[in-house]
Amino acid sequence: MGIAPELLPFLDQFPALELTRESLARTRAELNKLSKQAADELEGFDHIDVSDEFIDRPRGGGKLRLRLHARSKDSGKRPGLLWIHGGGYILGSPEMDEPQLCRMADELGCLVVAADYRLAPEHPWPAALDDCDAALGWMIGNSGALRIDTGSLALAGASAGGGLAAALALRARDQRPGAIRYQCLIYPMLDHRNVTPAASQAKEYFLWDHKKNRFAWDCYLGPNDPSGDMSPFASPARADQLEGLPPAYLCIGEEDLFYQESLEYARRLRDSGVAVELEIVPGAPHAFDKLPAPMSERSLKRRFAALAQHFAQRA
């Protein structure tokens, strides 16, 4: 099918991602500069309070920055959502998603907490997952002061953030039973095996391709042997048991490298008795929802509606 024609005029809005060990620091700095500039210039959300909190990382790892988004004049209990940014486990910051996070806080009336987790290869697995788990623990432990309804607590993330959200849902099921009530996985990075059908191996993928994916997974897994028994907390697609996970919303574009692994994960969730709302977006490449096109807006509205429905069930 190819990329949807309505997206083509906007593809050059994405920065080039040069990913090598030598170029990674420069690519990070450039992406962070663009993200911060866009966040600073964001308009229409003066009624949204955005602030940073700093909490202890696990095992003496210094301070973890959490970026909070909430409507200024809200009172009483509100839903809580832990957002995990993308970037292949090696790039990114909460600011890269600031427009969507402010909009989530505004339209859903929830407190959005975004974790500025440690990045690979300097901090391989499980550092990022430990940081996200620490953020979750902080939200639960401070739910009174934060006015969070812990009965509706949700996880959400895109790309590597979607992979971390899926991994954290698995970990929380085993170590914090009942803590997570919903997971929203947006084109998630789930499988370190980089599996696609043979017919797709030679296909060109926009923005995030096989080469970038292999590099990112190699950085993230670090000293862990990818050929051995991989923990599902590192590569969620390797999980043998998916029973008992919270309901899921999963969005994936047909032109995304992660299309097949996302479909397979959704199928396995359903086979394990987990309710799944699967959104397949024709003609959509990776990160399509960041482009100013009608199909992007339709997808955003659909995931917001799914989250709103979940939160309403606990109201």
Side-chain angles (χ1 to χ4, degrees):
M1 173 181 179
I3 294 176
E6 70 176 80
L7 294 177
L8 296 178
F10 306 110
L11 296 185
D12 60 359
Q13 293 187 8
F14 284 109
L17 295 179
E18 183 183 353
L19 297 183
T20 64
R21 298 271 178 168
E22 295 73 26
S23 67
L24 186 55
R26 182 176 68 253
T27 300
R28 277 182 189 160
E30 292 171 353
L31 181 60
N32 288 345
K33 180 180 178 181
L34 291 172
S35 297
K36 187 177 186 306
Q37 181 179 351
D40 290 343
E41 296 174 356
L42 186 61
E43 297 181 349
F45 292 104
D46 292 342
H47 57 295
I48 301 297
D49 288 333
V50 180
S51 61
D52 289 337
E53 293 280 345
F54 293 86
I55 67 171
D56 291 333
R57 295 186 192 273
R59 291 183 281 277
K63 293 294 184 178
L64 167 63
R65 182 173 69 102
L66 305 177
R67 194 154 176 86
L68 278 57
H69 309 74
R71 291 192 301 218
S72 306
K73 297 182 179 180
D74 280 353
S75 60
K77 280 199 171 184
R78 55 194 174 182
L81 184 146
L82 175 59
W83 174 263
I84 308 175
H85 70 77
Y89 303 106
I90 57 176
L91 302 167
S93 67
E95 282 80 359
M96 69 189 294
D97 300 313
E98 196 101 302
Q100 182 181 167
L101 303 187
C102 286
R103 185 173 169 184
M104 274 185 182
D106 188 19
E107 296 187 17
L108 301 176
C110 61
L111 171 66
V112 181
V113 177
D116 192 13
Y117 57 86
R118 286 171 289 180
L119 301 174
E122 297 89 342
H123 304 284
W125 182 83
L129 183 61
D130 285 346
D131 285 354
C132 294
D133 186 58
L136 174 62
W138 179 81
M139 292 176 71
I140 295 171
N142 294 275
S143 59
L146 296 171
R147 296 186 283 108
I148 291 176
D149 171 20
T150 55
S152 65
L153 198 57
L155 294 175
S159 193
L164 282 165
L168 186 54
L170 285 162
R171 191 178 192 182
R173 178 199 61 186
D174 297 345
Q175 300 178 11
R176 301 181 189 270
I180 300 302
R181 302 304 179 95
Y182 197 75
Q183 51 182 327
C184 182
L185 312 178
I186 310 303
Y187 35 83
M189 187 174 173
L190 297 165
D191 196 338
H192 77 285
R193 294 167 295 186
N194 205 20
V195 176
T196 57
S200 300
Q201 289 293 332
K203 182 174 179 176
E204 295 289 332
Y205 287 94
F206 173 73
L207 189 65
W208 197 257
D209 56 22
H210 290 285
K211 182 179 179 181
K212 290 184 174 70
N213 202 44
R214 282 190 293 270
F215 173 76
W217 275 113
D218 286 346
C219 289
Y220 184 55
L221 297 179
N224 299 280
D225 181 7
S227 65
D229 291 332
M230 182 57 56
S231 169
F233 300 159
S235 182
R238 295 301 304 273
D240 292 328
Q241 303 294 327
L242 300 181
E243 292 82 3
L245 287 171
Y249 179 91
L250 197 158
C251 170
I252 187 66
E254 286 187 342
E255 295 299 315
D256 196 309
L257 176 66
F258 301 146
Y259 179 64
Q260 292 296 335
E261 65 189 64
S262 293
L263 292 189
E264 176 65 9
Y265 197 68
R267 181 195 66 78
R268 293 186 58 224
L269 285 170
R270 285 171 171 164
D271 289 348
S272 300
V274 178
V276 178
E277 181 177 350
L278 176 63
E279 179 191 8
I280 298 174
V281 187
H286 200 65
F288 76 96
D289 55 345
K290 293 183 177 293
L291 300 175
M295 64 185 297
S296 304
E297 177 64 16
R298 288 194 298 270
S299 183
L300 286 169
K301 285 184 175 178
R302 185 170 173 180
R303 80 185 61 156
F304 281 21
L307 284 163
Q309 183 178 21
H310 160 67
F311 290 144
Q313 291 172 351
R314 298 293 307 184

